[in-house]
Amino acid sequence: MTESPLPVAVLVSGSGSNLQALLDDPGRGLDFAICSVISDRPNVTALDRAQDAGVETVVVPWSDFDSRETFTTAICDAALGSGALGLVLAGFMRILSQTAMEHFPDAIINVHPALLPAFPGAHAVENALVHRVAITGVTVHFVDEQVDHGPIIAQEAVGVRPDDDVASLHERIQAVEHRLLPKVVGAFGRGLLTVHDRYVRWEDESEEGVD
Amino acid sequence: MTESPLPVAVLVSGSGSNLQALLDDPGRGLDFAICSVISDRPNVTALDRAQDAGVETVVVPWSDFDSRETFTTAICDAALGSGALGLVLAGFMRILSQTAMEHFPDAIINVHPALLPAFPGAHAVENALVHRVAITGVTVHFVDEQVDHGPIIAQEAVGVRPDDDVASLHERIQAVEHRLLPKVVGAFGRGLLTVHDRYVRWEDESEEGVD
């Protein structure tokens, strides 16, 4: 078990409700520390949440960069500058280049509002409703070079109701996200997650010291 | 509510464990009747199960036909000849042409061992393990002109365990199939399922006669 909480940077683009779940998690300060909150857009609610919690904020405006590569480098510089050893994408709407994976190998966590590989992309909740699935859910995964593709850390199913619209379904999905993401980041911070050939092993803490 | 059980033909290709679940279902004879079991291969266990239950069997060998169209026509002729008003694909490994959908509009039911649209095709269980999902499941859907695509009638999630192999995962998926498929065929037989623009409405029997 690591001795001090693992520093992670949280990347945001909007309201930051997943950031709030991390800020409120009992594991924060024990299993992980949020060393910075980085946004690709100024003036988003997520930045207010970070400031209210006394966490350093950085804005790296997407529009200031001429390529995904230079944008990614600036994001990584900001994260590394704050001491981050991992990134958590919490509603972050930009795709990072391979450079981010090189700086943070098996250490970038994303939360997606569907049971991947179903419904990748930016409209997962809408697409699930259009497809008329009966079950969708939440996936937390490590980021790899493909969008919404990397090794799956945790998934949880959410049932779709006959009268659901995007707002009502998204609300139930977010409730699961807010529970699942801090749990995963906590396990990551405690060093319990290892990746082998797409398989994410959750080390069983109760087994520690057994052999 | 229909007055007599709806006659359906069950299409099989192998062991017929889903056929057995239908044969054993309390709804058989009340909500639906199996008027024939049709196989694309001779000498499969599913045919023995049908004969043991006193159900008419027909073999329509795939290899006897020069096209999907002539094969589909022969399957439909066999089903219609036995009086079927619907088809249930229970581990049937052939793809039917559009002709089948014309004979049985919104009346062909398929069971698939994954949460569609994830993992369509013939290797759903293997592919779920290779992708290392944490949750897969079962989909029962009406067949349309695209493979494993039609309107979803019911889905149920199945968790993947760290030590699962194809056999162990498939066994738990099949246990769900054996429960879900008869439930859906029973509802279909009672006329409770209606399709509008990919959405399958389950009519609530308790509401009958309310207005």
Side-chain angles (χ1 to χ4, degrees):
Chain A
M1 190 173 292
T2 54
E3 307 222 342
S4 57
L6 190 85
V8 297
V10 180
L11 275 52
V12 298
S13 295
S15 75
S17 70
N18 273 312
L19 167 65
Q20 193 65 54
L22 291 168
L23 289 168
D24 294 342
D25 190 72
R28 182 168 81 103
L30 294 171
D31 305 330
F32 64 92
I34 302 176
C35 55
S36 58
V37 169
I38 304 172
S39 175
D40 64 311
R41 299 163 59 195
N43 305 318
V44 293
T45 308
L47 293 169
D48 298 332
R49 296 182 193 265
Q51 283 153 7
D52 289 349
V55 173
E56 176 189 341
T57 61
V58 184
V59 177
V60 180
W62 170 256
S63 53
D64 285 5
F65 296 87
D66 57 4
S67 72
R68 186 177 313 284
E69 187 56 37
T70 54
F71 172 75
T72 299
T73 298
I75 290 278
C76 289
D77 285 350
L80 292 166
S82 69
L85 296 176
L87 304 182
V88 179
L89 313 191
F92 184 66
M93 297 306 286
R94 302 294 175 185
I95 295 164
L96 297 173
S97 78
Q98 179 67 25
T99 295
M101 279 60 95
E102 288 161 9
H103 281 299
F104 299 99
D106 291 341
I108 307 177
I109 293 171
N110 185 43
V111 57
H112 184 80
L115 291 177
L116 292 172
F119 309 119
H123 304 286
V125 179
E126 294 86 333
N127 291 344
L129 282 173
V130 168
H131 198 94
R132 294 289 193 176
V133 291
I135 294 179
T136 183
V138 172
T139 302
V140 185
H141 66 96
F142 284 120
V143 172
D144 70 3
E145 64 285 353
Q146 295 178 53
V147 175
D148 294 331
H149 172 270
I152 290 169
I153 310 170
Q155 291 185 305
E156 190 168 319
V158 173
V160 181
R161 298 175 184 161
D163 58 350
D164 262 330
D165 55 20
V166 172
S168 65
L169 179 56
H170 204 186
E171 185 176 335
R172 293 206 309 291
I173 286 173
Q174 284 188 310
V176 173
E177 290 181 344
H178 298 166
R179 182 160 38 74
L180 211 53
L181 182 62
K183 183 181 163 189
V184 166
V185 176
F188 175 70
R190 291 198 300 283
L192 302 182
L193 306 180
T194 52
V195 186
H196 302 286
D197 189 24
R198 286 191 66 76
Y199 174 59
V200 180
R201 180 167 185 265
W202 284 68
E203 193 177 314
D204 185 350
E205 290 176 280
S206 65
E207 288 175 2
E208 283 193 351
V210 167
D211 70 4
Chain B
M1 190 175 294
T2 54
E3 307 224 343
S4 58
L6 190 87
V8 296
V10 181
L11 276 52
V12 297
S13 294
S15 74
S17 71
N18 273 311
L19 167 64
Q20 192 66 53
L22 291 168
L23 290 168
D24 294 342
D25 190 72
R28 181 167 81 104
L30 295 171
D31 305 328
F32 64 93
I34 301 176
C35 55
S36 58
V37 169
I38 304 173
S39 175
D40 64 311
R41 297 164 59 194
N43 306 317
V44 293
T45 308
L47 293 169
D48 299 331
R49 296 181 193 264
Q51 284 154 8
D52 288 348
V55 173
E56 176 189 342
T57 61
V58 185
V59 177
V60 180
W62 170 256
S63 54
D64 285 6
F65 297 87
D66 57 5
S67 72
R68 188 177 313 282
E69 188 56 39
T70 54
F71 172 76
T72 299
T73 298
I75 290 277
C76 289
D77 286 349
L80 292 165
S82 69
L85 296 176
L87 304 182
V88 180
L89 314 191
F92 184 66
M93 298 304 286
R94 302 294 174 186
I95 296 164
L96 298 172
S97 78
Q98 180 65 26
T99 296
M101 278 60 95
E102 289 161 8
H103 281 299
F104 299 98
D106 291 341
I108 307 177
I109 293 170
N110 185 42
V111 57
H112 183 79
L115 291 177
L116 292 172
F119 308 119
H123 304 285
V125 179
E126 294 86 332
N127 291 344
L129 281 174
V130 168
H131 198 94
R132 294 289 195 176
V133 292
I135 294 180
T136 183
V138 172
T139 302
V140 185
H141 65 97
F142 284 119
V143 172
D144 70 3
E145 64 287 350
Q146 294 177 55
V147 175
D148 295 331
H149 172 271
I152 291 169
I153 309 170
Q155 292 185 304
E156 190 169 318
V158 173
V160 181
R161 297 173 184 162
D163 58 349
D164 262 329
D165 56 19
V166 172
S168 65
L169 179 56
H170 204 187
E171 183 177 335
R172 292 204 310 290
I173 286 174
Q174 285 188 309
V176 173
E177 290 181 346
H178 298 167
R179 181 161 40 74
L180 211 53
L181 182 61
K183 182 181 164 188
V184 166
V185 175
F188 175 69
R190 293 198 298 283
L192 302 183
L193 306 181
T194 52
V195 186
H196 303 286
D197 189 24
R198 285 191 68 75
Y199 175 59
V200 180
R201 180 168 185 263
W202 284 67
E203 194 176 315
D204 185 349
E205 289 177 283
S206 65
E207 288 176 5
E208 282 191 353
V210 167
D211 70 4

